[in-house]
Amino acid sequence: MVTSVAPRVESLSSSGIQSIPKEYVRPEEELTSIGNVFEEEKKRDGPQVPTIDLKEIDSEDQVVREKCREQLKQAAIDWGVMHLVNHGISDELMDKVREAGQAFFNLPVEEKEKHANDQASGNVQGYGSKLANNASGQLEWEDYFFHLIYPEDKRDLSIWPKTPKDYIEVTSEYARQLRSLATKILSVLSLGLGLEEGRLEKEVGGLEELLLQMKINYYPKCPQPELALGVEAHTDVSALTFILHNMVPGLQLFYEGKWVTAKCVPNSIIMHIGDTIEILSNGKYKSILHRGLVNKEKVRISWAVFCEPPKEKIILKPLPETVSETEPPLFPPRTFQQHIQHKLFRKTQDALLNKQS
Ligand code: OGA
Ligand code: NI
């Protein structure tokens, strides 16, 4: 088999090319919906991603507390994505996480290559770019750094960036704080389904088994941003995803049949409900389709942390309490691994069909 090595997108970007290689050009049908992200972000009309203020999530006052929790629950039902503010993680820590990741990506490509992953041998952790994994050969305009950050005993610190010096300390502290935030969110979502507080946390593996995987997405400047995508349209397979970014717009959500561009909300963390919670809740909480645009002017970086159940140990299916005669199960039982395989299979089938037609 001939495998071609895709170049780092950063190298392509800095080479000065005026037009992008054809593998990065989206199919005709998709191009009509891709616009200038800065223009898109300015639009004030139409639906907007909700902002949820978590300040009162544990308020002593029951009425105040319930109001806050209800808003979180409604956003999870209606959108499945939201800007979280007053989430309890300090601006200083978030800035340090951003600075640490930025400093790694500031290294020359040759330095970063020392951390390259080896996807062919199943080594997904490290520095990488997407390999074309279906018949279309389609590529995305990004490089990334991917690594497991929690639980601590499952980390492989040997592959973590050694530059900057405080990378490990800062990223580990962020992981611990996100892990407690995840517990809090999962408990509100559990109560929202009429379940015991700790139920969803337990169903996704609890403190021992729920894995936090960080993907630093690095989207270089693109000479033809209206032809490419940084990340193609997808839903996250995770239970929850938390995203920080460098205040450059890019994220779009497919809501009520239209692409909505997320605004940049200072000090917020974007949170997605992923497929895992959608399945467990029998579709009550939504895993929304989303994608990332790129632009000509500014490098965009985002820090996505995927909170994922173990690959084989748990069979994901709608919880019995979410199923009734009038609400039959919308998802067949599958392990997390089988769910990922199933999505990949469907995507490959689609690509083959499109090639024929
Ligand atoms: C992802 C993702 C969006 C972004 O990494 O799954 O959807 O804003 N990223 O970078
Ligand atoms: Ni995503």
Side-chain angles (χ1 to χ4, degrees):
M1 199 173 89
V2 183
T3 51
S4 60
V5 180
R8 299 307 173 197
V9 176
E10 180 184 349
S11 305
L12 264 181
S13 172
S14 59
S15 73
I17 49 163
Q18 292 304 303
S19 57
I20 62 176
K22 63 178 189 319
E23 292 80 13
Y24 295 92
V25 177
R26 306 308 302 184
E28 196 98 41
E29 321 81 74
E30 205 174 13
L31 291 176
T32 53
S33 74
I34 305 177
N36 177 300
V37 72
F38 299 111
E39 297 302 318
E40 298 295 327
E41 197 219 1
K42 278 186 214 143
K43 293 185 178 161
R44 301 287 134 173
D45 53 330
Q48 303 291 334
V49 176
T51 296
I52 302 301
D53 188 337
L54 295 183
K55 184 155 169 260
E56 307 292 0
I57 195 171
D58 288 322
S59 170
E60 304 274 306
D61 183 330
Q62 191 195 339
V63 176
V64 173
R65 185 173 71 233
E66 286 312 320
K67 191 173 159 220
C68 170
R69 294 178 173 200
E70 188 60 26
Q71 285 168 354
L72 170 54
K73 172 184 154 184
Q74 278 310 323
I77 292 173
D78 186 12
W79 280 81
V81 65
M82 60 203 83
H83 298 283
L84 300 178
V85 295
N86 293 315
H87 39 66
I89 300 183
S90 72
D91 301 349
E92 291 74 27
L93 181 57
M94 294 194 297
D95 282 342
K96 281 185 184 167
V97 170
R98 283 188 276 246
E99 279 157 23
Q102 173 85 62
F104 173 74
F105 274 95
N106 282 348
L107 296 172
V109 171
E110 308 82 71
E111 271 308 304
K112 290 188 291 239
E113 292 293 2
K114 293 180 183 166
H115 296 269
N117 63 10
D118 184 3
Q119 298 180 56
S121 38
N123 244 332
V124 292
Q125 295 197 73
Y127 177 57
S129 317
K130 184 171 176 177
L131 304 181
N133 60 2
N134 62 48
S136 70
Q138 180 77 60
L139 293 174
E140 297 169 320
W141 196 262
E142 75 154 340
D143 303 319
Y144 61 78
F145 193 92
F146 184 74
H147 59 333
L148 183 148
I149 57 172
Y150 199 93
E152 300 196 342
D153 61 345
K154 293 193 165 70
R155 297 176 305 184
D156 178 1
L157 291 177
S158 72
I159 64 111
W160 285 38
K162 306 212 168 9
T163 311
K165 286 272 171 292
D166 65 351
Y167 186 95
I168 293 181
E169 186 190 326
V170 162
T171 307
S172 300
E173 180 56 22
Y174 181 59
R176 285 190 285 273
Q177 295 200 20
L178 267 190
R179 186 63 187 85
S180 351
L181 181 58
T183 297
K184 206 171 269 187
I185 301 282
L186 289 170
S187 78
V188 174
L189 295 177
S190 297
L191 296 170
L193 293 171
L195 305 168
E196 261 184 62
E197 183 165 44
R199 181 69 177 279
L200 284 175
E201 165 93 35
K202 184 173 134 252
E203 295 289 344
V204 296
L207 275 179
E208 305 279 308
E209 300 286 350
L210 183 73
L211 307 177
L212 272 56
Q213 318 253 26
M214 180 182 269
K215 186 175 177 216
I216 309 179
N217 296 296
Y218 185 86
Y219 307 103
K221 293 175 198 170
C222 179
Q224 295 180 298
E226 262 123 90
L227 299 184
L229 286 176
V231 222
E232 64 190 21
H234 67 282
T235 60
D236 289 357
V237 292
S238 61
L240 301 172
T241 306
F242 295 95
I243 307 176
L244 285 183
H245 57 73
N246 65 340
M247 297 300 276
V248 175
L251 179 63
Q252 291 193 317
L253 302 306
F254 195 66
Y255 184 78
E256 292 181 342
K258 291 204 182 78
W259 286 104
V260 175
T261 305
K263 307 261 182 286
C264 297
V265 177
N267 309 326
S268 73
I269 298 178
I270 294 169
M271 185 186 78
H272 278 275
I273 302 289
D275 298 349
T276 298
I277 294 293
E278 182 177 69
I279 294 167
L280 292 171
S281 69
N282 199 24
K284 189 151 190 229
Y285 298 134
K286 308 298 184 312
S287 180
I288 195 172
L289 193 68
H290 57 284
R291 68 181 186 183
L293 300 193
V294 290
N295 73 82
K296 250 187 203 180
E297 294 155 46
K298 290 179 176 166
V299 172
R300 178 165 186 268
I301 311 179
S302 73
W303 288 256
V305 175
F306 304 102
C307 306
E308 301 185 348
K311 284 204 149 62
E312 315 276 1
K313 271 189 197 165
I314 296 175
I315 309 232
L316 300 170
K317 61 172 205 278
L319 296 172
E321 294 89 336
T322 65
V323 175
S324 68
E325 215 150 289
T326 56
E327 300 161 299
L330 298 174
F331 307 93
R334 289 193 180 109
T335 63
F336 187 63
Q337 181 63 26
Q338 287 167 339
H339 174 69
I340 293 172
Q341 285 302 323
H342 171 78
K343 278 180 103 172
L344 196 61
F345 176 74
R346 274 187 23 192
K347 195 171 146 186
T348 310
Q349 293 295 307
D350 283 355
L352 287 169
L353 282 172
N354 286 333
K355 218 177 182 183
Q356 281 166 19
S357 61

